[in-house]
């Protein structure tokens, strides 16, 4: 299958400035800490902010992402631990972890046929009593973006940008377009996500062997948190 994730060639540079709210990571800590993990695998680690935070708290963190551009930014941001180039839809490592994390709706980048191998891969890489923790878009976001969202501005290095989000209610998808007006010309990146009903995700997690907990008001009307226990 042709993968679509590594079109972060320029967005990686501006990812934190445009998309990251550092306060959001604080919401994750109680759910991570309640499992008392020692070893953590973070999938789709992006610019490494959560991996760095967890490392500073004493956890043994292995970060991973499909984008080498994101890995470079994570190093610039100060994450010094292991960072793997990894396709989270189907992976095979020679070790197991106490906790596997994936934040910031990264699971929504997976197509439906990739969900089963993803959950099976996660289950296989967890120790006994380990936990998979991830968030996804609340399905209400489809209605929220039926009318196109448009944001325009100037970034800190004076690069102009336009960011748009538009949903397709029939396909249950969100399309984000990032346009950057650089000295070298206009650069456009397209990012498509599928918005899943939590009931579907829970069913697939249970089929993979997980005991599932769904937290629907993790970020009200925006994000749902799912926790799968092995």
């Amino acid at each position: 299958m042709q993968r679509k994730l590594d079109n972060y060639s320029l967005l990686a540079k501006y990812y934190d400035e445009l998309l990251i709210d550092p306060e959001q990571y604080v919401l994750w800590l109680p759910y991570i800490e309640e499992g008392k993990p020692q070893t953590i695998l973070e999938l789709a680690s992006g610019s490494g902010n959560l991996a760095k935070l967890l490392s500073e708290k004493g956890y043994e963190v292995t970060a991973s992402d499909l984008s080498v551009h994101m890995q470079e930014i994570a190093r610039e941001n100060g994450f010094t631990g292991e960072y793997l180039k990894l396709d989270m839809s189907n992976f095979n490592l020679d070790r197991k972890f106490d906790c596997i994390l994936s934040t910031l709706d990264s699971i929504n980048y997976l197509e439906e046929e990739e969900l089963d191998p993803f959950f099976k891969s996660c289950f296989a890489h967890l120790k006994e009593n380990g936990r998979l923790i991830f968030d996804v878009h609340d399905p209400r976001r489809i209605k929220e973006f039926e009318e196109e969202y448009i944001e325009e501005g100037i970034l800190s290095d004076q690069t102009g940008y336009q960011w748009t989000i538009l949903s397709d209610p029939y396909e249950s998808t969100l399309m984000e377009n990032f346009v950057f007006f650089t000295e070298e010309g206009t650069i456009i990146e397209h990012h498509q996500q599928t918005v899943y009903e939590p009931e579907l995700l829970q069913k697939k997690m249970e089929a993979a062997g997980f005991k599932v907990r769904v937290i629907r008001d993790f970020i009200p009307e925006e994000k749902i948190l799912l926790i799968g226990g092995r």
Side-chain angles (χ1 to χ4, degrees):
M1 177 181 296
Q2 182 68 35
R3 299 295 296 161
K4 56 182 176 297
L5 269 181
D6 201 10
N7 60 348
Y8 284 87
S9 56
L10 188 57
L11 180 59
K13 179 179 179 180
Y14 301 115
Y15 189 80
D16 286 349
E17 187 173 353
L18 277 173
L19 301 174
I20 296 301
D21 176 7
E23 295 290 325
Q24 192 174 120
Y25 290 121
V26 176
L27 299 176
W28 282 83
L29 293 179
Y31 298 102
I32 296 169
E33 292 168 348
E34 70 182 9
K36 297 181 171 58
Q38 294 182 343
T39 57
I40 296 174
L41 171 64
E42 186 185 7
L43 302 170
S45 300
S47 53
N49 294 292
L50 181 58
K52 179 184 177 184
L53 174 63
L54 293 173
S55 294
E56 291 172 346
K57 287 183 171 292
Y59 297 104
E60 182 183 332
V61 181
T62 299
S64 69
D65 204 286
L66 192 58
S67 170
V68 295
H69 304 290
M70 281 298 198
Q71 182 172 344
E72 293 168 358
I73 298 300
R75 294 303 187 200
E76 292 177 10
N77 284 343
F79 176 66
T80 59
E82 183 179 22
Y83 199 122
L84 305 175
K85 185 176 187 294
L86 189 67
D87 184 342
M88 68 179 181
S89 68
N90 193 356
F91 58 96
N92 185 18
L93 301 175
D94 60 355
R95 64 199 118 144
K96 295 187 178 184
F97 304 86
D98 298 312
C99 181
I100 297 178
L101 299 175
S102 187
T103 68
L104 303 178
D105 48 80
S106 297
I107 305 307
N108 293 112
Y109 278 101
L110 296 178
E111 297 177 6
E112 187 168 346
E113 62 266 27
E114 296 175 304
L115 292 174
D116 288 333
F118 165 73
F119 291 127
K120 290 177 182 177
S121 293
C122 290
F123 192 85
H125 287 83
L126 284 170
K127 298 176 184 178
E128 194 66 29
N129 298 317
R131 302 192 309 158
L132 167 65
I133 309 174
F134 65 93
D135 68 346
V136 292
H137 287 302
D138 188 305
R140 284 174 287 189
R141 304 220 85 182
I142 292 292
K143 185 171 182 60
E144 177 183 352
F145 292 111
E146 282 183 341
E147 182 175 336
E148 187 175 38
Y149 167 85
I150 301 175
E151 176 180 310
E152 298 176 319
I154 304 293
L155 296 159
S156 58
D157 65 357
Q158 301 306 303
T159 296
Y161 76 92
Q162 182 187 74
W163 172 22
T164 64
I165 310 174
L166 182 64
S167 70
D168 182 340
Y170 300 101
E171 298 292 334
S172 294
T173 56
L174 294 177
M175 174 61 76
E176 294 185 76
N177 293 317
F178 296 88
V179 183
F180 299 100
F181 305 100
T182 73
E183 293 181 356
E184 291 76 27
T186 301
I187 298 175
I188 303 174
E189 294 191 16
H190 304 286
H191 297 259
Q192 181 172 304
Q193 294 180 304
T194 301
V195 179
Y196 295 108
E197 294 291 336
E199 291 80 7
L200 172 67
L201 298 172
Q202 180 173 353
K203 181 178 179 180
K204 288 183 175 293
M205 292 172 72
E206 290 172 343
F210 286 105
K211 297 177 182 178
V212 182
R213 176 180 165 199
V214 181
I215 300 167
R216 295 177 181 272
D217 59 348
F218 178 54
I219 300 179
E221 299 187 18
E222 289 189 20
K223 292 184 185 296
I224 295 172
L225 190 72
L226 290 97
I227 301 175
R230 195 186 194 288

